[in-house]
């Protein structure tokens, strides 16, 4: 049976193209973030709480907002009010950038999927740090952990990538409970090359040196692609372990479009139901090979797919495409059946 969002709100939102619908939703949630009465209303969707401690942080429940839904961190209080147990904003890059030409997000309702080639459109680390500072001053900073996902600016060469990440890290670390290094989005040319052991080692070493300093060391998470071979995954896990990485997010979107009919296909990263099995297999493999905790992301649409991720070894999960199709009631559905 369809839930309230699927019956009433989704048909309205799906009248617009995917990016416009996304903007409308975010604008609404941004506005709601300023009003206690609106936040109270959003809290009516909250799932039951099941606290969990990881990375030295307390998560009221294990369901997080995946990176990309709120790239610029404009609606933190609203996401917390909806009941997310943690919120990951970004991907943020050192420089503000417009991203790829539009259209660049495509819905595939039959496949319960999305394809995007956004290319890290975001306001940049400076503006986002300023915004987060204002939220903190307003007293509306969420009580749930906030992660900040950082990536390489499109204009920065691969050789300069480490400095680019370092810039964002330094600007944003004071606002983050954890930092995710995104080295796996398929829409920034060359980004996935940072998954090569030597390059990854250099990046993790540089950021790790910074993360361990200061009064509050930051847990570092590495977000990986589902298109890695078994050998590549094993090599990445070894580098992550050597560098004391706190967690792995598995996985980002895939470039494997073999499940998509050619007439519906678009260039970009595929997310949602067609990614589920593959990303769950990655979670299982990481849990088998390593003790690094896994945040599972990919194709979670209902309690069953969430349960599969935990069975495969996930410590936490994140939602993106499932949230677009199933709405806020998905959180309660998952928590009621966990
Ligand atoms: C439109 C869109 C934008 C995304 N942007 C980002 C991003 O900026 N950074 C990132 O790490 N992941 C990004 N992702 C990937 C998601 O965070 C998630 O890892 C992936 O979509 C798999 O989960 P899902 O099947 O629940 O969507 C994006 C996904 C979508 C659909």
């Amino acid at each position: 049976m369809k839930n309230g969002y699927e019956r009433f709100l989704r048909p309205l939102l799906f009248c617009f193209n995917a990016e416009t619908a996304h903007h409308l939703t975010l604008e609404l949630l941004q506005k709601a973030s300023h009003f206690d009465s609106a936040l109270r209303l959003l809290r009516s969707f909250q799932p039951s709480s099941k606290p969990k401690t990881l990375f030295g942080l307390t998560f009221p429940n294990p369901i997080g907002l995946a990176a990309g839904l709120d790239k610029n961190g404009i609606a933190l209080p609203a996401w917390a009010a909806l009941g997310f147990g943690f919120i990951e904003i970004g991907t943020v890059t050192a420089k503000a950038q417009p991203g790829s030409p539009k259209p660049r997000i495509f819905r595939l309702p039959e496949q319960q999927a999305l394809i995007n080639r956004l290319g890290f459109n975001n306001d940049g680390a400076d503006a986002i740090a300023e915004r987060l500072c204002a939220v903190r001053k307003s007293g509306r900073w969420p009580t749930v952990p906030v992660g900040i996902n950082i990536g390489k600016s499109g204009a920065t060469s691969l050789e300069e990538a480490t400095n680019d990440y370092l810039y964002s890290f330094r600007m944003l670390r004071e606002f983050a409970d954890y930092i995710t290094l995104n080295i796996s989005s398929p829409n920034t040319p060359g980004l996935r090359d940072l998954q090569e052991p030597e390059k990854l080692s250099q990046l993790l070493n540089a950021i790790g040196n910074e993360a361990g300093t200061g009064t509050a060391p930051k847990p570092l998470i590495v977000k990986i692609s589902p298109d890695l071979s078994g050998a590549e995954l094993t090599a990445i896990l070894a580098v992550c372990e050597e560098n004391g990485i706190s967690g792995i997010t598995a996985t980002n979107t895939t470039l494997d479009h073999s499940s998509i009919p050619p007439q519906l296909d678009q260039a970009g990263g595929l997310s949602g139901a067609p990614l589920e099995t593959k990303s769950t297999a990655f979670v299982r493999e990481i849990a088998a090979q390593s003790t690094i905790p896994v945040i599972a992301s990919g194709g979670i649409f209902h309690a069953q797919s969430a349960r599969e991720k935990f069975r495969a070894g996930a410590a936490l999960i994140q939602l993106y495409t499932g949230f677009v199709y199933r709405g806020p009631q998905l959180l309660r559905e998952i928590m009621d059946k966990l």
Side-chain angles (χ1 to χ4, degrees), residues 176-216:
D177 290 303
Y178 70 84
I179 295 271
T180 299
L181 302 174
N182 181 4
I183 49 168
S184 51
S185 284
N187 302 309
T188 295
L191 187 83
R192 286 179 164 196
D193 294 350
L194 294 171
Q195 295 179 124
E196 286 167 17
E198 211 174 298
K199 293 195 179 76
L200 182 60
S201 201
Q202 192 203 340
L203 177 68
L204 298 190
N205 190 28
I207 307 266
N209 281 340
E210 296 257 334
T213 60
T215 47

Side-chain angles (χ1 to χ4, degrees), residues 66-68 71 90-91 105 114 116 118 120 149 182 185 223 251-253 271-272 275 297-300 318-322:
K71 287 177 188 276
T91 293
I105 312 181
L114 295 171
N116 91 84
L118 286 164
F120 290 165
N149 177 309
N182 181 4
S185 284
K223 185 163 179 178
T251 65
N252 215 312
T253 55
S271 60
L275 175 61
S297 154
I300 300 168
Q318 288 182 326
L319 309 178
Y320 193 131
T321 308

Side-chain angles (χ1 to χ4, degrees), residues 63-308:
I63 311 173
L65 180 78
L69 246 164
D70 188 359
K71 287 177 188 276
N72 294 312
I74 64 172
L76 288 178
W79 297 119
L82 282 170
F84 281 100
F86 62 111
I87 304 161
E88 187 166 315
I89 66 162
T91 293
V92 182
T93 55
K95 298 168 190 150
Q97 51 184 41
S100 319
K102 296 177 184 173
R104 50 193 185 173
I105 312 181
F106 306 89
R107 294 188 198 100
L108 291 81
E110 282 276 293
Q111 287 72 23
Q112 300 267 282
L114 295 171
I115 294 176
N116 91 84
R117 49 170 181 265
L118 286 164
F120 290 165
N121 54 315
N122 79 106
D123 295 341
D126 294 4
I128 293 171
E130 221 172 279
R131 178 172 301 129
L132 296 179
C133 187
V135 181
R136 191 176 267 169
K137 280 189 185 144
S138 75
R140 291 181 191 277
W141 191 266
T143 54
V144 303
V146 174
I148 304 185
N149 177 309
I150 60 176
K152 183 183 81 66
S153 311
T156 301
S157 69
L158 215 50
E159 290 68 40
E160 279 300 309
T162 296
N163 284 335
D164 202 73
Y165 279 89
L166 271 175
Y167 183 86
S168 301
F169 182 84
R170 288 172 183 147
M171 287 303 298
L172 296 164
R173 63 173 294 164
E174 66 171 296
F175 305 105
D177 290 303
Y178 70 84
I179 295 271
T180 299
L181 302 174
N182 181 4
I183 49 168
S184 51
S185 284
N187 302 309
T188 295
L191 187 83
R192 286 179 164 196
D193 294 350
L194 294 171
Q195 295 179 124
E196 286 167 17
E198 211 174 298
K199 293 195 179 76
L200 182 60
S201 201
Q202 192 203 340
L203 177 68
L204 298 190
N205 190 28
I207 307 266
N209 281 340
E210 296 257 334
T213 60
T215 47
K218 294 294 159 191
L220 282 183
I221 314 289
V222 171
K223 185 163 179 178
I224 61 165
S225 153
D227 301 326
L228 297 163
S229 68
E232 286 168 333
L233 175 64
T234 301
I236 287 174
L237 291 176
V239 175
C240 287
E241 274 174 3
E242 273 163 34
N243 285 279
I245 290 305
S246 299
I248 309 265
T249 303
T251 65
N252 215 312
T253 55
T254 179
L255 287 175
D256 175 2
H257 292 201
S258 52
S259 59
I260 304 301
Q263 69 276 14
L264 296 178
D265 206 6
Q266 291 284 343
L270 173 67
S271 60
L275 175 61
E276 184 197 344
T277 309
K278 198 174 187 186
S279 77
T280 306
F282 266 71
V283 175
R284 196 172 293 114
E285 200 48 44
I286 297 165
Q289 289 189 35
S290 159
T291 53
I292 301 179
V294 184
I295 303 177
S297 154
I300 300 168
F301 269 73
H302 30 61
Q304 178 61 24
S305 42
R307 244 192 325 253
E308 288 296 323

